[in-house]
Amino acid sequence: MSAPARKLDRPSRLSADDWAQAALDLVAEQGVAAVAVEPLARRLGVTKGSFYWHFPSRDALLHAALERWEAFEQEAVFGKLEAVSDPRERLRALFRLVAHEVKPHVIYSELLKALDHPVVKPVMERVSKRRLDYLAASFRQAGLSRTDAQHRARLTYAAYVGFLQLSLQLQQPRLHHDEFEAYVEHVMATLIPGG
């Protein structure tokens, strides 16, 4: 009889990052309330002891998962855009990049549902402030006055959150690829000065 096959997709020892990523995956699939030690340990094929080696509590894991999500946004979204010097082109690149992400939208949408959670609320406040500040600064660099840039940033962010509500939380019929691309172009033409 041969030895049982070992899973090749899982390292022999899990890191705190592995747990944090698994928690984020679970948030995307089932929401913040679903993040629990035992189901995650089963999902990862390890004992609860592995969890307690890295984290003292579920909230500590959730905190680490949300820090990971924040860091991804900083690096993968804002980091990519720093090389674009023209503010209008940077805004277009931002809109295109954000429009074609799926999992970060699902996670954000699930976090919106959990704003009353003491670990989630401060993260969402920081993320929203950073996003609004980034948008306002970009609109300002694109030629809008300070007040107009702040208003445009709020309008842009509200359009983003509203679209998530419609498409993810209310499960409206998904737009076909061409319809969605036309929508993204319309949003850019409407919101980006000189777009």
Side-chain angles (χ1 to χ4, degrees):
M1 185 180 233
S2 63
R6 205 169 140 222
K7 286 186 178 177
L8 298 175
D9 61 341
R10 179 173 52 86
S12 60
R13 206 174 278 249
L14 292 177
S15 68
D17 281 344
D18 294 327
W19 279 95
Q21 185 58 55
L24 272 181
D25 293 343
L26 199 53
V27 167
E29 294 166 19
Q30 300 175 33
V32 171
V35 175
V37 178
E38 285 189 40
L40 277 172
R42 277 194 304 275
R43 179 180 209 155
L44 293 168
V46 297
T47 66
K48 291 189 306 182
S50 171
F51 169 82
Y52 290 109
W53 180 261
H54 298 292
F55 300 100
S57 67
R58 173 197 181 265
D59 280 354
L61 169 63
L62 187 57
H63 181 76
L66 297 182
E67 278 184 348
R68 183 179 180 86
W69 176 69
E70 276 190 276
F72 169 81
E73 176 176 279
Q74 281 296 105
E75 296 163 16
V77 177
F78 296 131
K80 285 181 182 178
L81 300 172
E82 285 183 22
V84 182
S85 59
D86 179 82
R88 287 176 184 83
E89 285 306 313
R90 189 178 329 112
L91 283 164
R92 285 185 194 92
L94 172 65
F95 283 39
R96 286 187 189 106
L97 181 64
V98 169
H100 294 97
E101 293 177 329
V102 176
K103 192 169 186 178
H105 294 324
V106 175
I107 292 169
Y108 182 82
S109 183
E110 289 300 330
L111 294 175
L112 282 175
K113 295 177 191 176
L115 283 176
D116 60 340
H117 192 286
V119 174
V120 173
K121 185 178 180 180
V123 172
M124 293 299 281
E125 286 173 352
R126 278 193 314 271
V127 167
S128 293
K129 181 177 182 340
R130 184 171 47 250
R131 289 175 174 184
L132 284 165
D133 288 349
Y134 185 88
L135 286 166
S138 295
F139 285 127
R140 187 92 168 95
Q141 292 165 0
L144 295 182
S145 70
R146 181 174 308 281
T147 301
D148 287 346
Q150 288 173 335
H151 291 322
R152 188 76 54 102
R154 285 187 193 103
L155 179 61
T156 301
Y157 201 52
Y160 166 73
V161 173
F163 189 79
L164 286 183
Q165 290 282 104
L166 290 173
S167 63
L168 296 173
Q169 293 177 339
L170 301 179
Q171 300 187 354
Q172 293 294 316
R174 293 185 95 47
L175 297 175
H176 295 289
H177 176 76
D178 292 342
E179 291 174 309
F180 181 72
E181 293 303 320
Y183 170 75
V184 172
E185 289 298 321
H186 176 76
V187 168
M188 289 190 294
T190 302
L191 294 174
I192 299 173

